[in-house]
Amino acid sequence: MATAVHPAAALPAITAPPPPRPPPSRAALGHVPQLHASLIKSGELTASPKSFHSLLEAAAHGATPAQLAYAVRLFRLGPRPPLSTPCYNVLMRAFLRAGHLEDALHLFVEMLDGASIWPDQHTVACALKSCSRMCALDAGCCVQAYSVKRGLMVDRFVLSSLIHMYASCGDVAAARMLFDAVEEKGVVMWNAIIAGYFKNGAWEEVLELFKGMLEVGAPFDEVTLVSVATACGKTCNSNLGKWIGGYVEEKGMLGNRNLVTGLVDMYAKCGELGKARSLFDRMQSRDVVAWSAMISGYTQADQCYEALALFSEMQVEEVEPNDVTMVSVLSACAVLGALETGKWVHSYIRKKCLPLTVVLGTALVDFYAKCGCIESAVEAFESMPVKNSWTWTALIKGMASNGRGREALEVFSSMCKAGIEPTDVTFIGVLMACSHNCLVEEGRQHFNSMTQDYGIQPRIEHYGCVVDLFGRAGLIDEAYQFIRAMPIEPNTVIWRALLSSCTTQKNVKVGEEALKQIISLDPSHSGDYILLSNIYASVGRWKDAAMIRRKMKDRGIQKTPGCSLIELDGMIFEFFAEDRDHRQLREIYEKVEEMIDKIKMAGYVPNTADARIDVDEHEKEVSVSHHSEKLAIAFGLMKLRPGATIRLSKNLRVCTDCHSATKLISKVYSREIVVRDRNRFHHFKDGSCSCNDYW
């Protein structure tokens, strides 16, 4: 093979390529054998190179392997006139369309080995496309060497293909050198360099190139706009994205499905979900990519109800989802705790034999872990052919939040033995495992190991985990001193972790200091005031608790209402504390009353410290009995078959009263109850909780 040359070597004046010839019609493709027989019978096949070329081109445009095989037999076996460069080009293009990249490149080499047939600019462009798709940089450099030798670097099509080859093979600098050396650049060449940066994820460079096009008045087309719109979404550049959207509407380009899909994705990623949905609804034809872009937009914006509703519409429209769709749907199911919907997705993946890619497999592990089904998460993990650090991290964090800290640390050990380098996020999962299971010494060791063994500098999240670890273990003073010694400024997350620990440990002094620090950073978060109010109430300082509530009212701070979700038959039901909107309200409250009476007989005593403080003792008991998780559990007892596990998720930390009550409900009703609160999972069974009352 020829030696590699400087990417910008030999660039004289450039000539434009001839317009491409239109492919034969589909009707013509079905009559190739008859046409072949007719040409043989008339003798024209061997006598007329033009007739043979037309026949070969008709056969090569076939869409099936059998039609391509027919074209190869025509090319190899004849009868035929002597082969020409255009004949080689026809077959190379056919191989490229069919994905037979090596076969296309072998034809190029075959021409070089011959004495009478020379590759032209079209042959070289096809060879470079093969190299691009195979990421065969060395072979591409050899094709360039031939182009220099034969004087083909004057052709704009060859140059564009060469730029694309270098960029596709990861050598964007060489591609840019070639691009910059050309004085007159057409839209194809601009698209080639933009596509190169696009493929390498250099989104800012894509936008800068497009701005450069606008500055010099270079022409651009719909292919350009698809790449730039995607880059706008990746960088959240809504201003340029909106300009492109306006341009597309003004120029009547909304019929281009790929372009509109790119705009839908861009608007969604920039937080303009209304505009994204409006464009999506106006599309005359929506493929799986368009549906996936819109569903992903909802998921990324935490509008998970809308994501699942749109997925249901997609099924009604009979559009088959792909692995990208499934990742977004599983993420939405994980957030909502929609176990049955997620299980259906998993069964669909198996039924359709979708490849369990690293991204899809990791989404499955994360989904099952966030629904409290840690055994299923482990099964999904073990079924994956390839795992990366994010996959291991998803399982570690899942085990940590489900109260299986020791197992999480064992998985971390296996990860290290497998040669998978942990990330900073992995260590968040490891420290969570230590925190949720009171593994103080192990937590210290892993926190120090981050820097000493892996060179990972702790972020604010890691410090927060250590504060949480000390606080949960009752080491409030040590947690406070740890905060004061931090090399970075503590934020509200750090002080909130300390305040939460003070609530559990009933430490008024440090709790007051923690709230003081929080208010100086974020004075409007209701949960912080509620925590200190609860600390005061837990030690009988009712006047101070009332004072905190008055401060909230005076400052216009509204308490975040408790909300619990429960999934039944694939539908998500939402309950708020002291809910008054459910259509089965009377039956639910009757079930709650029955539930409370039964657990009282088993020893339940309401903890009114978690109740409103502006009412008498009886009303306090009623108030805590109407917390959202109790309403959701009552609804589950009403609707689920006897013995079925009740699963729900809550937006806040489970209060002490609901935790005690749920333990007894699980025993009295012989039910396993899985609750995901803001911090972790609680698996209630036979009167006990997986957190061992340590949350």
Side-chain angles (χ1 to χ4, degrees), residues 71-82:
V72 173
R73 287 198 299 274
L74 269 176
F75 184 88
R76 294 296 183 195
L77 303 177
R80 56 168 172 70

Side-chain angles (χ1 to χ4, degrees), residues 517-532:
Q517 296 294 335
I518 292 170
I519 290 174
S520 69
L521 298 169
D522 179 13
S524 60
H525 193 278
S526 65
D528 305 320
Y529 297 90
I530 299 298
L531 284 174
L532 184 58

Side-chain angles (χ1 to χ4, degrees), residues 284-336:
Q284 294 180 350
S285 172
R286 297 179 293 210
D287 61 4
V288 63
V289 180
W291 285 93
S292 298
M294 194 66 240
I295 292 170
S296 174
Y298 279 131
T299 302
Q300 291 171 8
D302 286 334
Q303 295 190 22
C304 298
Y305 287 113
E306 290 80 359
L308 295 188
L310 190 60
F311 180 61
S312 296
E313 288 183 38
M314 182 180 180
Q315 292 172 272
V316 172
E317 295 287 332
E318 297 183 347
V319 178
E320 286 209 0
N322 59 16
D323 58 333
V324 177
T325 324
M326 293 314 198
V327 168
S328 296
V329 173
L330 284 169
S331 298
C333 291
V335 171
L336 295 175

Side-chain angles (χ1 to χ4, degrees), residues 237-424:
N237 190 328
S238 58
N239 290 333
L240 182 55
K242 288 176 182 177
W243 182 89
I244 293 172
Y247 180 89
V248 168
E249 296 219 28
E250 180 186 337
K251 299 298 182 181
M253 296 180 176
L254 292 177
N256 185 317
R257 187 171 65 188
N258 290 341
L259 180 53
V260 177
T261 299
L263 288 173
V264 168
D265 184 61
M266 178 274 297
Y267 279 128
K269 283 184 168 65
C270 291
E272 301 276 356
L273 283 171
K275 290 184 178 178
R277 185 58 188 265
S278 175
L279 262 182
F280 177 82
D281 289 340
R282 288 160 60 192
M283 292 178 71
Q284 294 180 350
S285 172
R286 297 179 293 210
D287 61 4
V288 63
V289 180
W291 285 93
S292 298
M294 194 66 240
I295 292 170
S296 174
Y298 279 131
T299 302
Q300 291 171 8
D302 286 334
Q303 295 190 22
C304 298
Y305 287 113
E306 290 80 359
L308 295 188
L310 190 60
F311 180 61
S312 296
E313 288 183 38
M314 182 180 180
Q315 292 172 272
V316 172
E317 295 287 332
E318 297 183 347
V319 178
E320 286 209 0
N322 59 16
D323 58 333
V324 177
T325 324
M326 293 314 198
V327 168
S328 296
V329 173
L330 284 169
S331 298
C333 291
V335 171
L336 295 175
L339 180 62
E340 294 307 315
T341 304
K343 280 183 174 179
W344 180 90
V345 170
H346 194 182
S347 66
Y348 182 92
I349 292 168
R350 291 194 188 107
K351 180 181 176 183
K352 295 294 183 178
C353 298
L354 292 179
L356 203 59
T357 62
V358 171
V359 175
L360 182 56
T362 302
L364 265 175
V365 172
D366 186 60
F367 154 70
Y368 278 121
K370 286 180 177 174
C371 285
C373 301
I374 204 65
E375 286 78 13
S376 297
V378 172
E379 288 176 14
F381 177 85
E382 291 177 345
S383 69
M384 292 176 62
V386 180
K387 310 172 185 73
N388 64 9
S389 60
W390 294 104
T391 316
W392 288 87
T393 299
L395 186 60
I396 290 168
K397 291 182 74 174
M399 286 184 163
S401 62
N402 278 275
R404 295 165 73 157
R406 291 286 183 190
E407 292 173 70
L409 297 185
E410 289 172 9
V411 172
F412 176 70
S413 178
S414 298
M415 175 183 180
C416 296
K417 288 176 183 176
I420 306 295
E421 192 79 9
T423 67
D424 58 339

Side-chain angles (χ1 to χ4, degrees), residues 379-561:
E379 288 176 14
F381 177 85
E382 291 177 345
S383 69
M384 292 176 62
V386 180
K387 310 172 185 73
N388 64 9
S389 60
W390 294 104
T391 316
W392 288 87
T393 299
L395 186 60
I396 290 168
K397 291 182 74 174
M399 286 184 163
S401 62
N402 278 275
R404 295 165 73 157
R406 291 286 183 190
E407 292 173 70
L409 297 185
E410 289 172 9
V411 172
F412 176 70
S413 178
S414 298
M415 175 183 180
C416 296
K417 288 176 183 176
I420 306 295
E421 192 79 9
T423 67
D424 58 339
V425 181
T426 310
F427 276 101
I428 292 175
V430 169
L431 293 171
M432 280 174 54
C434 297
S435 174
H436 288 316
N437 290 270
C438 200
L439 306 174
V440 177
E441 290 310 312
E442 290 89 338
R444 291 185 208 270
Q445 292 169 13
H446 285 297
F447 181 76
N448 293 329
S449 173
M450 281 178 60
T451 306
Q452 295 171 4
D453 299 331
Y454 298 97
I456 298 173
Q457 290 302 314
R459 293 191 283 113
I460 198 76
E461 293 86 354
H462 300 99
Y463 286 106
C465 287
V466 176
V467 171
D468 194 51
L469 168 65
F470 290 155
R472 289 174 187 271
L475 305 173
I476 299 294
D477 290 336
E478 187 169 352
Y480 181 72
Q481 294 305 321
F482 180 81
I483 293 173
R484 287 303 186 191
M486 282 172 53
I488 55 179
E489 194 69 25
N491 63 4
T492 55
V493 175
I494 299 292
W495 289 111
R496 231 166 246 142
L498 182 64
L499 179 58
S500 181
S501 299
C502 291
T503 305
T504 305
Q505 304 298 327
K506 300 181 181 180
N507 190 315
V508 175
K509 181 180 178 182
V510 178
E512 289 174 333
E513 174 63 18
L515 182 62
K516 177 183 174 183
Q517 296 294 335
I518 292 170
I519 290 174
S520 69
L521 298 169
D522 179 13
S524 60
H525 193 278
S526 65
D528 305 320
Y529 297 90
I530 299 298
L531 284 174
L532 184 58
S533 174
N534 289 346
I535 296 174
Y536 284 139
S538 68
V539 295
R541 291 172 57 173
W542 297 104
K543 289 184 179 180
D544 290 326
M547 175 196 67
I548 292 290
R549 303 291 178 123
R550 280 197 302 275
K551 278 186 179 179
M552 288 178 62
K553 186 176 181 180
D554 293 342
R555 295 174 183 179
I557 299 170
Q558 297 291 324
K559 179 183 176 183
T560 303

Side-chain angles (χ1 to χ4, degrees), residues 672-690:
E672 182 177 358
I673 303 172
V674 181
V675 179
R676 181 180 75 182
D677 73 2
R678 189 179 61 190
N679 296 325
R680 64 172 299 154
F681 275 90
H682 300 265
H683 295 257
F684 298 95
K685 190 174 182 179
D686 299 327
S688 299
C689 179
S690 60

